[in-house]
Amino acid sequence: MVFRILHSFRLLGIALDGTPRRGLALNLAMKKNAIYLDYNATTPVDSQVFAAMEPYFKDLFGNPSSASHQWGWTAESAVQKARNQVARLIGAAPQEIYFTSGATEANNWALFGLITKIKAENPNAPIHILSSNAEHSSVLQTLKMAQALGVEVDFVPVDSTGRVAVSDVKKLLKPHTKLLSFIWVNNEVGTLNPISELVELAKENKIYLHTDGTQAVGKIPVDVQNIEVDLLSFSAHKIYGPKGVGVLYIRSKNPKVQINAHIMGGGQERGLRSGTLNVPGIVGMGKAAEIASEILVSENERQEKLRSYFCDLLKSEIPEAQINGHPTERAANTLNIYLPDYHPSQSLGGLQNLGVSAGSACASGSVSLSHVLKAMGKSEAHIESSIRVSMGRETTQEEIQEAIAILKKLSTAKETSVFN
Ligand code: PMP
Protein backbone atom coordinates (compact mmCIF):
# COMPACT_ATOMS: atom_id res chain seq x y z
CA MET A 1 0.00 0.00 0.00
CA VAL A 2 2.74 2.43 1.08
CA PHE A 3 4.69 1.47 -2.05
CA ARG A 4 1.65 2.19 -4.20
CA ILE A 5 1.23 5.64 -2.72
CA LEU A 6 4.92 6.44 -3.19
CA HIS A 7 4.73 5.13 -6.74
CA SER A 8 1.78 7.34 -7.60
CA PHE A 9 3.61 10.35 -6.17
CA ARG A 10 6.53 9.54 -8.49
CA LEU A 11 4.21 9.19 -11.45
CA LEU A 12 2.78 12.60 -10.67
CA GLY A 13 6.29 14.00 -10.66
CA ILE A 14 6.23 14.88 -6.99
CA ALA A 15 9.39 14.18 -5.00
CA LEU A 16 8.99 12.75 -1.55
CA ASP A 17 9.62 16.15 0.00
CA GLY A 18 6.62 17.43 -1.96
CA THR A 19 8.48 19.41 -4.64
CA PRO A 20 7.80 18.61 -8.30
CA ARG A 21 10.57 16.60 -10.03
CA ARG A 22 12.29 18.92 -12.43
CA GLY A 23 12.53 16.70 -15.48
CA LEU A 24 8.92 15.73 -15.49
CA ALA A 25 7.72 19.22 -14.80
CA LEU A 26 9.60 20.37 -17.89
CA ASN A 27 8.25 17.48 -19.97
CA LEU A 28 4.76 18.42 -18.97
CA ALA A 29 5.47 22.07 -19.67
CA MET A 30 5.97 21.72 -23.39
CA LYS A 31 6.70 19.26 -26.12
CA LYS A 32 9.72 19.49 -28.35
CA ASN A 33 9.03 21.20 -31.67
CA ALA A 34 5.89 22.80 -30.31
CA ILE A 35 5.25 26.30 -31.65
CA TYR A 36 3.99 28.97 -29.30
CA LEU A 37 1.91 31.63 -31.03
CA ASP A 38 -0.19 32.83 -28.12
CA TYR A 39 1.82 35.84 -26.94
CA ASN A 40 -1.38 37.84 -26.36
CA ALA A 41 -2.29 35.34 -23.65
CA THR A 42 1.09 35.65 -21.99
CA THR A 43 4.79 35.96 -22.75
CA PRO A 44 7.79 34.18 -21.27
CA VAL A 45 9.80 36.21 -18.75
CA ASP A 46 12.83 37.74 -20.48
CA SER A 47 16.07 36.34 -19.02
CA GLN A 48 17.33 39.84 -18.14
CA VAL A 49 14.03 40.45 -16.34
CA PHE A 50 14.39 37.19 -14.44
CA ALA A 51 17.97 38.07 -13.44
CA ALA A 52 16.87 41.49 -12.20
CA MET A 53 14.09 39.98 -10.09
CA GLU A 54 16.01 37.14 -8.50
CA PRO A 55 17.86 38.98 -5.67
CA TYR A 56 14.57 40.45 -4.44
CA PHE A 57 13.23 36.99 -3.58
CA LYS A 58 16.27 36.18 -1.43
CA ASP A 59 18.93 38.55 -0.12
CA LEU A 60 17.07 41.78 -0.84
CA PHE A 61 13.80 40.62 0.67
CA GLY A 62 12.86 43.80 2.56
CA ASN A 63 9.46 45.41 2.73
CA PRO A 64 9.51 48.84 1.05
CA SER A 65 7.18 50.13 3.77
CA SER A 66 9.84 49.45 6.44
CA ALA A 67 11.14 52.99 6.67
CA SER A 68 13.50 52.47 9.60
CA HIS A 69 16.18 50.15 8.22
CA GLN A 70 18.34 49.32 5.22
CA TRP A 71 16.33 46.26 4.15
CA GLY A 72 13.30 48.48 3.69
CA TRP A 73 15.25 51.31 2.02
CA THR A 74 16.80 48.91 -0.50
CA ALA A 75 13.40 47.52 -1.46
CA GLU A 76 11.91 51.02 -1.64
CA SER A 77 14.65 52.24 -3.95
CA ALA A 78 14.15 49.19 -6.23
CA VAL A 79 10.43 50.00 -6.45
CA GLN A 80 11.21 53.64 -7.26
CA LYS A 81 13.61 52.57 -10.01
CA ALA A 82 10.89 50.35 -11.48
CA ARG A 83 8.36 53.18 -11.24
CA ASN A 84 10.73 55.39 -13.25
CA GLN A 85 11.30 52.68 -15.87
CA VAL A 86 7.56 52.09 -16.31
CA ALA A 87 6.83 55.83 -16.38
CA ARG A 88 9.42 56.33 -19.12
CA LEU A 89 7.80 53.66 -21.31
CA ILE A 90 4.52 55.63 -21.44
CA GLY A 91 5.80 59.21 -21.07
CA ALA A 92 4.30 59.59 -17.59
CA ALA A 93 5.65 61.03 -14.34
CA PRO A 94 6.71 58.34 -11.83
CA GLN A 95 4.11 59.48 -9.29
CA GLU A 96 1.38 58.74 -11.85
CA ILE A 97 2.24 55.00 -11.81
CA TYR A 98 0.31 52.81 -9.33
CA PHE A 99 1.30 49.15 -9.09
CA THR A 100 -1.49 46.55 -9.00
CA SER A 101 -1.76 42.77 -9.35
CA GLY A 102 -2.43 43.01 -13.08
CA ALA A 103 -4.56 44.67 -15.71
CA THR A 104 -7.74 43.01 -14.42
CA GLU A 105 -7.32 44.80 -11.11
CA ALA A 106 -6.29 48.05 -12.80
CA ASN A 107 -9.47 47.96 -14.95
CA ASN A 108 -11.71 47.18 -11.97
CA TRP A 109 -10.07 49.95 -9.95
CA ALA A 110 -10.17 52.62 -12.70
CA LEU A 111 -13.90 52.11 -13.19
CA PHE A 112 -15.08 51.59 -9.62
CA GLY A 113 -12.56 54.10 -8.24
CA LEU A 114 -14.08 56.84 -10.38
CA ILE A 115 -17.68 55.81 -9.77
CA THR A 116 -17.23 55.71 -5.97
CA LYS A 117 -15.37 59.04 -5.99
CA ILE A 118 -18.25 60.74 -7.82
CA LYS A 119 -20.82 59.05 -5.58
CA ALA A 120 -18.93 60.00 -2.40
CA GLU A 121 -18.96 63.65 -3.46
CA ASN A 122 -22.57 63.69 -4.63
CA PRO A 123 -24.59 60.58 -3.78
CA ASN A 124 -27.53 61.69 -5.93
CA ALA A 125 -25.55 62.57 -9.04
CA PRO A 126 -26.53 60.41 -12.01
CA ILE A 127 -23.54 58.72 -13.68
CA HIS A 128 -23.44 57.62 -17.31
CA ILE A 129 -20.54 55.64 -18.81
CA LEU A 130 -19.87 54.69 -22.43
CA SER A 131 -17.87 51.62 -23.38
CA SER A 132 -18.05 49.00 -26.14
CA ASN A 133 -19.28 45.46 -26.53
CA ALA A 134 -15.80 44.23 -27.56
CA GLU A 135 -13.96 45.07 -24.32
CA HIS A 136 -11.97 42.61 -22.23
CA SER A 137 -14.16 40.82 -19.67
CA SER A 138 -12.46 42.70 -16.80
CA VAL A 139 -14.09 45.88 -18.15
CA LEU A 140 -17.35 44.32 -19.32
CA GLN A 141 -18.05 42.48 -16.05
CA THR A 142 -17.10 45.47 -13.91
CA LEU A 143 -19.42 47.71 -15.88
CA LYS A 144 -22.22 45.15 -15.64
CA MET A 145 -21.79 45.17 -11.86
CA ALA A 146 -21.87 48.98 -11.92
CA GLN A 147 -25.11 48.80 -13.94
CA ALA A 148 -26.62 46.49 -11.34
CA LEU A 149 -25.75 49.11 -8.73
CA GLY A 150 -27.59 51.85 -10.62
CA VAL A 151 -24.92 53.35 -12.91
CA GLU A 152 -26.14 53.97 -16.45
CA VAL A 153 -23.87 52.22 -18.97
CA ASP A 154 -24.21 52.06 -22.75
CA PHE A 155 -22.10 49.60 -24.73
CA VAL A 156 -21.42 51.10 -28.16
CA PRO A 157 -21.54 48.41 -30.87
CA VAL A 158 -18.28 47.91 -32.77
CA ASP A 159 -18.21 47.56 -36.56
CA SER A 160 -17.41 44.35 -38.45
CA THR A 161 -13.67 44.97 -37.88
CA GLY A 162 -14.01 45.34 -34.10
CA ARG A 163 -13.56 49.13 -34.04
CA VAL A 164 -15.80 51.76 -32.46
CA ALA A 165 -16.79 54.80 -34.51
CA VAL A 166 -16.27 58.13 -32.73
CA SER A 167 -19.51 59.39 -34.34
CA ASP A 168 -21.44 56.55 -32.63
CA VAL A 169 -19.90 57.44 -29.27
CA LYS A 170 -20.78 61.10 -29.82
CA LYS A 171 -24.43 60.24 -30.53
CA LEU A 172 -24.75 58.44 -27.20
CA LEU A 173 -23.26 61.20 -25.01
CA LYS A 174 -25.55 62.48 -22.27
CA PRO A 175 -25.25 65.57 -20.05
CA HIS A 176 -24.27 63.30 -17.17
CA THR A 177 -21.75 61.14 -19.10
CA LYS A 178 -18.71 61.01 -16.84
CA LEU A 179 -16.43 58.43 -18.44
CA LEU A 180 -15.51 56.80 -21.75
CA SER A 181 -13.77 53.42 -21.43
CA PHE A 182 -12.48 51.84 -24.64
CA ILE A 183 -9.85 49.16 -25.21
CA TRP A 184 -6.79 50.48 -27.10
CA VAL A 185 -5.78 47.29 -28.95
CA ASN A 186 -8.28 44.45 -28.98
CA ASN A 187 -6.73 41.31 -27.47
CA GLU A 188 -8.62 38.89 -29.71
CA VAL A 189 -8.40 40.50 -33.14
CA GLY A 190 -5.69 43.15 -32.75
CA THR A 191 -7.91 46.00 -34.00
CA LEU A 192 -6.91 49.46 -32.79
CA ASN A 193 -9.57 51.81 -31.50
CA PRO A 194 -9.33 55.52 -32.45
CA ILE A 195 -8.07 56.44 -28.96
CA SER A 196 -6.62 59.77 -30.02
CA GLU A 197 -9.99 60.96 -31.41
CA LEU A 198 -11.81 59.56 -28.39
CA VAL A 199 -9.49 61.57 -26.13
CA GLU A 200 -10.40 64.73 -28.10
CA LEU A 201 -14.10 63.96 -27.76
CA ALA A 202 -13.70 63.37 -24.02
CA LYS A 203 -11.77 66.63 -23.58
CA GLU A 204 -14.33 68.68 -25.54
CA ASN A 205 -17.05 67.35 -23.27
CA LYS A 206 -15.07 67.41 -20.00
CA ILE A 207 -15.39 63.65 -19.57
CA TYR A 208 -12.70 61.29 -18.30
CA LEU A 209 -11.22 58.67 -20.63
CA HIS A 210 -9.97 55.30 -19.46
CA THR A 211 -8.34 52.83 -21.81
CA ASP A 212 -7.37 49.21 -21.33
CA GLY A 213 -3.91 49.39 -22.87
CA THR A 214 -2.85 45.84 -21.98
CA GLN A 215 -2.18 44.85 -25.59
CA ALA A 216 -0.89 48.30 -26.56
CA VAL A 217 1.77 49.27 -24.02
CA GLY A 218 5.18 47.90 -25.00
CA LYS A 219 3.90 46.92 -28.46
CA ILE A 220 2.89 50.20 -30.08
CA PRO A 221 4.09 53.68 -29.08
CA VAL A 222 2.01 54.84 -26.11
CA ASP A 223 2.80 58.33 -24.85
CA VAL A 224 0.38 59.92 -22.41
CA GLN A 225 1.84 63.39 -23.18
CA ASN A 226 0.86 62.94 -26.77
CA ILE A 227 -2.40 60.99 -26.43
CA GLU A 228 -3.73 62.43 -23.19
CA VAL A 229 -5.69 59.57 -21.67
CA ASP A 230 -6.73 60.04 -18.02
CA LEU A 231 -6.51 56.44 -16.86
CA LEU A 232 -4.54 53.61 -18.49
CA SER A 233 -4.35 49.96 -17.41
CA PHE A 234 -1.65 47.49 -18.42
CA SER A 235 0.14 44.36 -17.34
CA ALA A 236 3.70 43.00 -16.99
CA HIS A 237 3.13 39.50 -18.33
CA LYS A 238 2.22 40.70 -21.82
CA ILE A 239 5.60 42.42 -22.17
CA TYR A 240 7.98 39.65 -21.03
CA GLY A 241 7.60 40.51 -17.36
CA PRO A 242 6.16 38.34 -14.58
CA LYS A 243 2.52 37.41 -14.03
CA GLY A 244 0.64 39.04 -11.18
CA VAL A 245 1.87 42.63 -11.68
CA GLY A 246 0.19 45.48 -13.48
CA VAL A 247 -0.20 49.22 -13.47
CA LEU A 248 -2.90 51.82 -13.36
CA TYR A 249 -1.66 55.16 -14.70
CA ILE A 250 -3.62 58.04 -13.15
CA ARG A 251 -3.09 61.50 -14.74
CA SER A 252 -1.93 64.01 -12.16
CA LYS A 253 -2.38 67.26 -14.09
CA ASN A 254 -4.39 68.76 -16.99
CA PRO A 255 -6.65 67.51 -15.46
CA LYS A 256 -5.75 66.05 -12.07
CA VAL A 257 -7.74 62.82 -12.00
CA GLN A 258 -8.97 61.73 -8.61
CA ILE A 259 -10.32 58.27 -7.95
CA ASN A 260 -11.05 56.42 -4.74
CA ALA A 261 -8.94 53.64 -3.29
CA HIS A 262 -10.37 50.23 -3.95
CA ILE A 263 -8.15 48.19 -1.65
CA MET A 264 -7.98 49.69 1.80
CA GLY A 265 -5.37 48.95 4.40
CA GLY A 266 -1.83 50.09 5.18
CA GLY A 267 -1.89 52.99 2.72
CA GLN A 268 0.69 51.83 0.18
CA GLU A 269 0.79 53.47 -3.26
CA ARG A 270 0.05 56.92 -1.86
CA GLY A 271 -2.94 55.65 0.08
CA LEU A 272 -4.76 54.43 -3.02
CA ARG A 273 -3.81 50.77 -3.30
CA SER A 274 -2.95 49.10 -0.03
CA GLY A 275 -1.10 45.83 0.42
CA THR A 276 2.61 45.01 0.76
CA LEU A 277 4.20 45.61 -2.61
CA ASN A 278 5.23 42.65 -4.75
CA VAL A 279 8.84 43.86 -4.96
CA PRO A 280 10.34 41.12 -7.21
CA GLY A 281 7.35 41.42 -9.54
CA ILE A 282 7.57 45.20 -9.66
CA VAL A 283 11.33 45.07 -10.30
CA GLY A 284 10.57 42.64 -13.15
CA MET A 285 7.92 44.92 -14.58
CA GLY A 286 10.40 47.82 -14.48
CA LYS A 287 13.07 45.86 -16.32
CA ALA A 288 10.52 44.59 -18.86
CA ALA A 289 9.40 48.18 -19.47
CA GLU A 290 13.00 49.33 -19.93
CA ILE A 291 13.66 46.61 -22.52
CA ALA A 292 10.37 47.32 -24.29
CA SER A 293 11.27 51.04 -24.53
CA GLU A 294 14.57 50.13 -26.18
CA ILE A 295 13.33 47.66 -28.77
CA LEU A 296 9.71 48.67 -29.37
CA VAL A 297 10.25 50.31 -32.75
CA SER A 298 12.59 47.69 -34.22
CA GLU A 299 10.52 44.79 -32.87
CA ASN A 300 7.33 46.31 -34.19
CA GLU A 301 8.87 46.59 -37.66
CA ARG A 302 10.13 43.00 -37.49
CA GLN A 303 6.68 41.75 -36.51
CA GLU A 304 4.99 43.80 -39.26
CA LYS A 305 7.21 41.96 -41.75
CA LEU A 306 6.44 38.61 -40.14
CA ARG A 307 2.74 39.33 -40.30
CA SER A 308 2.94 40.18 -44.01
CA TYR A 309 4.88 36.97 -44.54
CA PHE A 310 2.22 35.05 -42.59
CA CYS A 311 -0.63 36.59 -44.59
CA ASP A 312 1.04 35.94 -47.97
CA LEU A 313 1.81 32.33 -47.12
CA LEU A 314 -1.67 31.80 -45.69
CA LYS A 315 -3.18 33.15 -48.91
CA SER A 316 -1.20 30.79 -51.07
CA GLU A 317 -1.51 27.70 -48.84
CA ILE A 318 -5.07 28.11 -47.54
CA PRO A 319 -6.77 30.50 -50.01
CA GLU A 320 -10.18 30.13 -48.37
CA ALA A 321 -8.86 31.50 -45.03
CA GLN A 322 -9.97 34.99 -44.01
CA ILE A 323 -8.61 37.49 -41.51
CA ASN A 324 -10.99 38.79 -38.83
CA GLY A 325 -10.26 42.36 -37.83
CA HIS A 326 -9.23 45.66 -39.38
CA PRO A 327 -7.12 45.54 -42.57
CA THR A 328 -4.86 48.44 -41.54
CA GLU A 329 -5.72 49.70 -38.04
CA ARG A 330 -4.28 46.73 -36.19
CA ALA A 331 -1.43 45.58 -33.98
CA ALA A 332 1.51 43.98 -35.78
CA ASN A 333 1.56 40.76 -33.81
CA THR A 334 -2.08 39.61 -33.89
CA LEU A 335 -3.93 37.70 -36.59
CA ASN A 336 -7.38 36.26 -36.05
CA ILE A 337 -7.97 33.72 -38.78
CA TYR A 338 -11.18 32.14 -40.03
CA LEU A 339 -10.54 28.67 -41.46
CA PRO A 340 -13.85 27.61 -43.05
CA ASP A 341 -12.98 23.91 -43.09
CA TYR A 342 -11.64 23.78 -39.54
CA HIS A 343 -14.12 22.33 -37.09
CA PRO A 344 -12.67 22.03 -33.58
CA SER A 345 -14.97 19.15 -32.62
CA GLN A 346 -13.59 17.11 -35.53
CA SER A 347 -9.97 17.99 -34.91
CA LEU A 348 -9.56 17.20 -31.25
CA GLY A 349 -5.90 17.29 -30.39
CA GLY A 350 -5.02 18.67 -33.81
CA LEU A 351 -3.72 21.87 -32.28
CA GLN A 352 -1.63 20.07 -29.68
CA ASN A 353 1.72 21.22 -31.05
CA LEU A 354 0.54 24.66 -31.97
CA GLY A 355 -0.05 27.11 -29.14
CA VAL A 356 -2.76 29.32 -30.56
CA SER A 357 -5.99 30.46 -29.00
CA ALA A 358 -9.59 29.85 -29.93
CA GLY A 359 -11.23 33.06 -28.78
CA SER A 360 -9.61 34.71 -25.77
CA ALA A 361 -7.29 32.74 -23.48
CA CYS A 362 -8.70 34.59 -20.49
CA ALA A 363 -12.08 33.09 -21.32
CA SER A 364 -10.81 29.61 -22.01
CA GLY A 365 -11.82 26.93 -19.60
CA SER A 366 -15.36 27.93 -20.43
CA VAL A 367 -16.48 27.01 -23.93
CA SER A 368 -18.39 30.20 -24.63
CA LEU A 369 -18.06 31.69 -28.09
CA SER A 370 -15.86 34.74 -28.46
CA HIS A 371 -17.94 37.80 -27.49
CA VAL A 372 -15.61 39.97 -29.59
CA LEU A 373 -16.29 38.06 -32.83
CA LYS A 374 -19.99 38.03 -31.91
CA ALA A 375 -19.86 41.81 -31.45
CA MET A 376 -18.30 42.01 -34.93
CA GLY A 377 -21.41 40.26 -36.29
CA LYS A 378 -19.80 36.88 -37.03
CA SER A 379 -21.97 33.76 -37.14
CA GLU A 380 -21.60 30.90 -34.66
CA ALA A 381 -20.06 28.69 -37.34
CA HIS A 382 -17.59 31.43 -38.29
CA ILE A 383 -16.57 31.96 -34.66
CA GLU A 384 -16.09 28.24 -34.02
CA SER A 385 -13.75 28.01 -36.99
CA SER A 386 -11.66 31.03 -36.01
CA ILE A 387 -8.37 30.99 -34.16
CA ARG A 388 -6.11 33.72 -32.82
CA VAL A 389 -2.43 33.69 -33.69
CA SER A 390 -0.32 36.16 -31.73
CA MET A 391 3.39 36.46 -32.42
CA GLY A 392 6.18 37.57 -30.11
CA ARG A 393 9.87 38.33 -29.85
CA GLU A 394 10.87 34.71 -30.39
CA THR A 395 8.68 34.09 -33.43
CA THR A 396 10.57 33.20 -36.62
CA GLN A 397 9.69 32.70 -40.30
CA GLU A 398 10.36 28.96 -39.91
CA GLU A 399 7.80 28.75 -37.11
CA ILE A 400 5.28 30.51 -39.29
CA GLN A 401 5.88 28.03 -42.12
CA GLU A 402 5.34 25.14 -39.73
CA ALA A 403 2.29 26.75 -38.16
CA ILE A 404 0.68 27.24 -41.55
CA ALA A 405 1.45 23.63 -42.48
CA ILE A 406 -0.37 22.49 -39.32
CA LEU A 407 -3.30 24.81 -40.00
CA LYS A 408 -3.47 23.49 -43.57
CA LYS A 409 -3.66 19.93 -42.33
CA LEU A 410 -6.34 20.89 -39.85
CA SER A 411 -8.45 22.74 -42.33
CA THR A 412 -8.30 19.99 -44.95
CA ALA A 413 -8.52 16.96 -42.61
CA LYS A 414 -12.03 15.60 -42.76
CA GLU A 415 -11.58 13.46 -39.66
CA THR A 416 -14.60 11.79 -38.23
CA SER A 417 -15.66 13.03 -34.86
CA VAL A 418 -14.55 10.92 -31.93
CA PHE A 419 -18.16 11.02 -30.81
CA ASN A 420 -19.36 9.03 -33.84
N1 PMP B 1 -7.12 43.39 -20.74
C1 PMP B 1 -6.68 42.81 -21.87
C2 PMP B 1 -6.92 43.48 -23.17
C3 PMP B 1 -6.02 41.58 -21.80
O1 PMP B 1 -5.58 41.02 -22.93
C4 PMP B 1 -5.82 40.97 -20.55
C5 PMP B 1 -5.13 39.63 -20.44
N2 PMP B 1 -5.73 38.63 -21.18
C6 PMP B 1 -6.28 41.63 -19.40
C7 PMP B 1 -6.92 42.84 -19.54
C8 PMP B 1 -6.08 41.05 -18.04
O2 PMP B 1 -4.73 41.19 -17.67
P1 PMP B 1 -4.13 40.45 -16.38
O3 PMP B 1 -3.88 39.05 -16.81
O4 PMP B 1 -2.87 41.21 -16.08
O5 PMP B 1 -5.12 40.58 -15.28
Side-chain angles (χ1 to χ4, degrees):
M1 179 65 178
V2 172
F3 172 77
R4 262 215 221 140
I5 293 172
L6 291 181
H7 185 61
S8 20
F9 263 72
R10 285 209 181 91
L11 282 180
L12 283 170
I14 299 169
L16 298 182
D17 63 357
T19 54
R21 282 205 340 262
R22 208 155 176 263
L24 190 64
L26 288 177
N27 282 344
L28 287 177
M30 74 199 64
K31 287 189 166 180
K32 252 192 166 176
N33 304 325
I35 302 164
Y36 185 74
L37 286 172
D38 204 10
Y39 288 84
N40 281 10
T42 197
T43 59
V45 172
D46 183 288
S47 53
Q48 290 180 65
V49 169
F50 190 65
M53 291 171 71
E54 214 178 344
Y56 293 92
F57 286 107
K58 298 187 295 188
D59 303 337
L60 310 179
F61 60 87
N63 183 335
S65 302
S66 302
S68 56
H69 54 67
Q70 55 181 304
W71 288 267
W73 304 329
T74 305
E76 169 60 14
S77 88
V79 169
Q80 285 318 330
K81 181 177 173 192
R83 211 183 289 287
N84 290 336
Q85 289 165 315
V86 171
R88 221 169 292 132
L89 175 62
I90 61 163
Q95 70 273 13
E96 295 176 315
I97 303 298
Y98 293 80
F99 289 111
T100 66
S101 64
T104 297
E105 184 191 324
N107 282 337
N108 273 255
W109 179 20
L111 301 169
F112 263 116
L114 190 67
I115 292 167
T116 56
K117 179 78 186 168
I118 297 169
K119 281 283 170 201
E121 279 166 5
N122 187 352
N124 298 321
I127 301 176
H128 176 240
I129 296 176
L130 284 170
S131 187
S132 88
N133 56 355
E135 299 297 309
H136 186 265
S137 50
S138 54
V139 167
L140 283 178
Q141 297 308 323
T142 306
L143 288 177
K144 282 183 185 157
M145 174 60 84
Q147 257 180 334
L149 295 171
V151 174
E152 253 181 88
V153 184
D154 281 312
F155 294 96
V156 183
V158 293
D159 66 16
S160 62
T161 72
R163 195 169 151 92
V164 290
V166 180
S167 53
D168 289 345
V169 179
K170 210 169 180 173
K171 270 185 232 149
L172 289 168
L173 288 176
K174 294 185 177 181
H176 54 288
T177 306
K178 304 286 186 207
L179 176 72
L180 307 182
S181 178
F182 292 98
I183 194 166
W184 198 320
V185 173
N186 188 282
N187 51 309
E188 292 195 31
V189 290
T191 298
L192 276 90
N193 264 328
I195 292 298
S196 184
E197 288 96 311
L198 288 166
V199 165
E200 292 316 311
L201 182 70
K203 277 191 177 301
E204 277 163 25
N205 292 277
K206 298 197 166 39
I207 299 168
Y208 290 121
L209 184 131
H210 164 251
T211 180
D212 177 354
T214 311
Q215 302 290 349
V217 172
K219 296 184 179 178
I220 61 167
V222 169
D223 181 350
V224 296
Q225 308 284 352
N226 182 22
I227 299 186
E228 297 180 23
V229 300
D230 296 303
L231 296 154
L232 166 71
S233 315
F234 54 105
S235 186
H237 75 102
K238 312 289 183 177
I239 57 166
Y240 307 83
K243 294 168 183 61
V245 197
V247 161
L248 181 63
Y249 156 82
I250 308 179
R251 176 169 290 282
S252 66
K253 52 178 194 261
N254 305 323
K256 178 175 170 55
V257 180
Q258 286 181 296
I259 66 171
N260 269 357
H262 84 134
I263 297 184
M264 271 65 72
Q268 286 87 349
E269 296 299 83
R270 280 136 288 149
L272 287 184
R273 199 278 184 182
S274 288
T276 301
L277 294 181
N278 169 5
V279 180
I282 289 169
V283 166
M285 183 162 199
K287 189 68 190 172
E290 182 189 291
I291 298 170
S293 312
E294 283 162 11
I295 66 170
L296 189 141
V297 174
S298 59
E299 188 51 26
N300 210 18
E301 275 173 18
R302 193 187 75 90
Q303 289 188 21
E304 290 269 5
K305 284 189 194 133
L306 277 182
R307 191 197 47 212
S308 298
Y309 179 74
F310 198 118
C311 289
D312 292 346
L313 197 60
L314 188 70
K315 216 175 190 177
S316 66
E317 292 296 311
I318 317 175
E320 64 280 14
Q322 293 167 22
I323 306 291
N324 298 314
H326 201 281
T328 54
E329 295 300 314
R330 62 187 182 184
N333 80 320
T334 311
L335 276 171
N336 195 301
I337 305 167
Y338 166 55
L339 296 166
D341 292 321
Y342 164 58
H343 305 290
S345 60
Q346 292 176 16
S347 315
L348 285 181
L351 280 174
Q352 256 178 19
N353 285 334
L354 185 58
V356 294
S357 174
S360 147
C362 302
S364 68
S366 61
V367 266
S368 57
L369 290 175
S370 154
H371 71 277
V372 172
L373 293 177
K374 255 192 223 169
M376 288 161 59
K378 305 296 179 196
S379 69
E380 256 184 44
H382 184 109
I383 298 171
E384 273 182 359
S385 299
S386 293
I387 58 157
R388 176 188 71 185
V389 168
S390 49
M391 301 180 286
R393 285 183 198 158
E394 274 116 62
T395 308
T396 61
Q397 273 202 0
E398 292 69 38
E399 283 186 323
I400 289 173
Q401 289 161 4
E402 284 173 45
I404 289 181
I406 295 173
L407 293 181
K408 190 173 177 176
K409 259 194 222 149
L410 277 184
S411 63
T412 50
K414 297 274 183 283
E415 291 170 29
T416 26
S417 162
V418 291
F419 299 112
N420 274 348

